[in-house]
Amino acid sequence: MTFSVGMVGAGQFAGQFATLFNHHPDVSAVYVTDTIAERATELATSAGLAGTMDSFEEMLASPVDAVAIFTQRWTHGPLVVKALRAGKHVYSAVPMAISVEEIAAIIDAVRETGLTYMMGETSYYNPATVFAREKLAAGAFGRLFYAEGDYVHDMDLGFYDAYRYSGGENWKSTASYPPLLYPTHSIGGVLGAWPTHATAVSAIGVVDDRGDGVFDRSVSQFDNDFSNSTALFELAAGGSMRINEFRRVGFPSHRRESRFRWFGTDGTFEQMTTASFWQTRDGVDDVSEQIDTHPSLDADDPSLAHVSPALRDAFVSGYAPIHDRTRIPAELQGLHNGHEGSHHFLVDDFVRAVTTGSLPPVNAWTAARFTLPGVIAHESARRGGERLSIPDMGEPTV
């Protein structure tokens, strides 16, 4: 079985995935639409896609079997529901959505239609998460009781350029996007290894003081002035998880924008900026070589000309030794990868789920557990750290 894919959005990130979908042996054709028609045409030409469509509505009315949504991060929820209700399988960039109601609506639509939904969380295949997942499966941690996930990406390192590219003349209103509403790189990395979910949270937001109109509540589309946020979660499995979402931070995010730590009664894994360590009572093992990725494309490649130089490392980082690349189709293995080697796995996960009728690893229920805690944490921060309960959408029922 092969199927066709419609790309919704032709921005900086979409081009990487359009190429991968287009080369996957189980995808028959790839189309693209964008509100800026020229971008869709350019992507279709450069990636050798089957063609363009004039609008999202035209794509939903077309015979395309699945859509891959790469639009602005706060638009995903409603678009996903429309696509599912139109009979399309859905791959969605992160986050899943930005409210409890939107997340619940997606789960309802997946349950009622029986279609495939997958959120493309890159941290699920972050080498640190893969390493910790394997250690947990082997029982090496003992009982996990604490974990940390950081997404530390300074606005000055490429985000200004990215928001200008996607936001148009009102880009400052959208560049104020609340850090905790983009929590999946930190939460998803932790919970991608530790199969539990958050039940309560207390969070603190740091009010920005740059004074440049970004993270200014009078300008913000989201009524937000937090540029940095920290959240402490209670977990259903017992223990806790702390995450950081930082946008004003003196840190080389081009080296490692997401990093993680897991603490168990028998073993501990800690990832630093340039090294990673597995530790037990018997000693410390430097496992950096297993975790470190290698470039899959030169950062100066012409295909990245529209991407800020400060962001290019994330678009080209390939496999780490810990990755099992034997499951990846040969047609993809020679192509550029990205975000710590995750892109090939994410595309193949979605294609496998659609063609076999199976649940992808980051299905709607898992995506909710990666996303919803951040939504509640942001509300906690707005209430001065008030401890709030986190609803859980349950386990898969399809």
Side-chain angles (χ1 to χ4, degrees):
M1 170 189 171
T2 62
F3 66 97
S4 56
V5 176
M7 302 289 297
V8 184
Q12 295 175 325
F13 200 42
Q16 309 287 301
F17 283 82
T19 297
L20 296 176
F21 278 122
N22 201 37
H23 283 80
H24 197 288
D26 292 329
V27 174
S28 57
V30 179
Y31 300 86
V32 61
T33 187
D34 194 284
T35 55
I36 301 175
E38 293 79 7
R39 289 183 181 174
T41 299
E42 179 183 350
L43 178 56
T45 300
S46 63
L49 307 185
T52 64
M53 295 188 187
D54 290 338
S55 66
F56 177 59
E57 290 70 26
E58 179 184 342
M59 186 168 282
L60 295 189
S62 77
V64 162
D65 299 300
V67 297
I69 295 175
F70 289 91
T71 57
Q72 301 272 41
R73 59 192 66 176
W74 56 91
T75 66
H76 297 163
L79 295 179
V80 167
V81 171
K82 287 181 181 178
L84 289 167
R85 296 296 183 189
K88 312 299 184 185
H89 303 288
V90 176
Y91 177 102
S92 174
V94 298
M96 183 183 195
I98 62 171
S99 72
V100 176
E101 294 76 17
E102 288 182 356
I103 291 170
I106 291 173
I107 288 178
D108 286 345
V110 172
R111 184 186 296 114
E112 292 166 13
T113 64
L115 293 165
T116 298
Y117 167 88
M118 175 178 152
M119 184 179 76
E121 177 41 57
T122 59
S123 285
Y124 189 83
Y125 287 110
N126 184 292
T129 300
V130 175
F131 181 91
R133 194 156 57 230
E134 292 184 0
K135 286 292 187 183
L136 183 63
F141 278 109
R143 180 187 178 187
L144 280 175
F145 61 87
Y146 177 74
E148 297 178 351
D150 301 333
Y151 182 61
V152 281
H153 196 138
D154 190 84
M155 286 288 294
D156 289 322
L157 295 182
F159 270 180
Y160 276 97
D161 292 336
Y163 277 111
R164 289 188 187 102
Y165 182 86
S166 62
E169 62 181 14
N170 294 319
W171 68 272
K172 287 186 178 181
S173 70
T174 58
S176 62
Y177 190 82
L180 284 171
L181 294 190
Y182 195 68
T184 61
H185 293 331
S186 50
I187 295 175
V190 170
L191 298 187
W194 190 359
T196 184
H197 62 275
T199 59
V201 63
S202 178
I204 300 296
V206 178
V207 175
D208 194 56
D209 63 359
R210 177 71 68 87
D212 64 355
V214 176
F215 300 114
D216 181 335
R217 293 184 79 162
S218 67
V219 176
S220 172
Q221 174 178 319
F222 312 99
D223 189 33
N224 176 59
D225 56 6
F226 297 148
S227 54
N228 295 323
S229 298
T230 296
L232 180 64
F233 297 93
E234 183 177 354
L235 300 177
S240 57
M241 166 180 68
R242 190 271 297 143
I243 71 154
N244 288 320
E245 289 287 338
F246 293 162
R247 306 296 179 264
R248 301 284 197 203
V249 56
F251 179 84
S253 59
H254 62 283
R255 294 293 299 272
R256 181 162 281 155
E257 64 183 7
S258 298
R259 60 181 188 172
F260 306 98
R261 305 165 79 198
W262 290 264
F263 288 78
T265 54
D266 294 335
T268 298
F269 174 75
E270 295 188 84
Q271 185 181 42
M272 314 305 284
T273 307
T274 58
S276 301
F277 302 97
W278 171 252
Q279 300 157 119
T280 67
R281 296 180 184 87
D282 297 325
V284 179
D285 294 328
D286 186 330
V287 296
S288 302
E289 288 189 3
Q290 297 181 55
I291 304 300
D292 290 345
T293 61
H294 304 282
S296 62
L297 185 72
D298 191 295
D300 293 325
D301 189 89
S303 68
L304 299 174
H306 62 299
V307 178
S308 170
L311 293 175
R312 291 178 188 174
D313 284 351
F315 281 76
V316 303
S317 56
Y319 295 112
I322 194 70
H323 285 133
D324 177 14
R325 67 177 73 182
T326 61
R327 55 155 279 193
I328 300 298
E331 292 87 345
L332 301 190
Q333 289 202 30
L335 299 176
H336 60 267
N337 208 329
H339 285 86
E340 304 284 339
S342 65
H343 290 188
H344 291 181
F345 292 98
L346 294 174
V347 167
D348 192 54
D349 278 345
F350 181 68
V351 174
R352 285 171 181 249
V354 171
T355 57
T356 65
S358 59
L359 280 169
V362 187
N363 54 70
W365 290 266
T366 300
R369 289 178 170 179
F370 290 1
T371 307
L372 184 53
V375 175
I376 305 302
H378 179 58
E379 181 60 26
S380 170
R382 287 178 63 91
R383 298 188 192 183
E386 180 181 344
R387 179 182 171 91
L388 299 177
S389 295
I390 300 171
D392 184 56
M393 301 295 178
E395 301 286 347
T397 57
V398 293

